[in-house]
Amino acid sequence: MNVLAKLSNITRSPGDPKVLKAGPSVVGASDGLARKLGWFSIVLGAVEVVGAERIAGALGMSGKEGLIRAYGAREISSGILSLSVDKQAGLWSRVAGDGLDIATLLTAYRHDNPKRNNVGLALAMVAGIALLDILGAKGVTARHSRNGTKPRDYSDRSGFPRGTAAARDLARSQRGREAGAA
């Protein structure tokens, strides 16, 4: 018996069936990546909000602290959305944010910037994370989309296992019994 099965049996009541073996996870690899990217985004956003001055100084972007804090807030909101039920929107917002980050860093990648090497390193890191964001967003979108299929039509179903006529007959017979008992 594996560890997860043993742990799940601890919380069961005496009459409940025991778990013999844990099955495969319903969480796909893309969902796991979305969760990790969501937490990464929240931590990165917090660092950008709190350490905007140090980041701006390290990149030779003094005077852009407010912009870095705004990007940090964007990261936090994208991270929260990536951890939510609507993880697709969160991951695609991360991809859009990566484009914005790259565009901003390219403005600092000038020959007269003494921190140009730091900006180059930051560009490489953002490009790598952008690749992960794109892979995660595509994976989650593919996993959770309906692939162009029509939504299921349940208009012919009543919600009554034997149909509405049988439910009416049962209700009439019940009323008849109650009237006869009174």
Side-chain angles (χ1 to χ4, degrees), residues 21-104:
K21 178 173 101 173
S25 174
V26 296
V27 177
S30 59
D31 294 321
L33 179 60
R35 187 175 51 248
K36 290 175 178 122
L37 288 170
W39 283 113
F40 173 77
S41 191
I42 290 170
V43 170
L44 177 62
V47 168
E48 288 177 332
V49 167
V50 172
E53 290 84 11
R54 293 189 79 181
I55 293 170
L59 297 174
M61 297 177 66
S62 295
K64 302 290 184 187
E65 292 82 2
L67 181 65
I68 293 170
R69 282 192 189 91
Y71 284 6
R74 182 205 70 221
E75 283 287 346
I76 292 170
S77 63
S78 292
I80 291 170
L81 198 54
S82 296
L83 294 173
S84 74
V85 181
D86 198 10
K87 59 181 73 53
Q88 289 177 352
L91 290 173
W92 285 114
S93 71
R94 281 189 48 80
V95 171
D98 293 335
L100 196 57
D101 292 342
I102 289 171
T104 303

Side-chain angles (χ1 to χ4, degrees), residues 29-30 40 51 111-112 133 143:
S30 59
F40 173 77
H111 291 288
D112 63 337
D133 287 340
R143 181 171 167 82

Side-chain angles (χ1 to χ4, degrees), residues 113-182:
N113 184 352
K115 306 288 183 166
R116 186 171 197 262
N117 289 340
N118 291 350
V119 175
L121 181 62
L123 277 167
M125 290 187 331
V126 170
I129 293 295
L131 180 62
L132 284 176
D133 287 340
I134 291 168
L135 291 174
K138 282 183 153 189
V140 166
T141 300
R143 181 171 167 82
H144 297 285
S145 68
R146 293 194 175 259
N147 298 329
T149 60
K150 290 185 348 183
R152 293 183 183 169
D153 181 18
Y154 294 112
S155 63
D156 62 335
R157 297 186 183 180
S158 66
F160 297 97
R162 296 186 187 111
T164 54
R168 281 190 206 104
D169 291 342
L170 183 63
R172 282 188 199 113
S173 69
Q174 190 67 24
R175 260 189 273 141
R177 279 190 230 142
E178 290 173 0

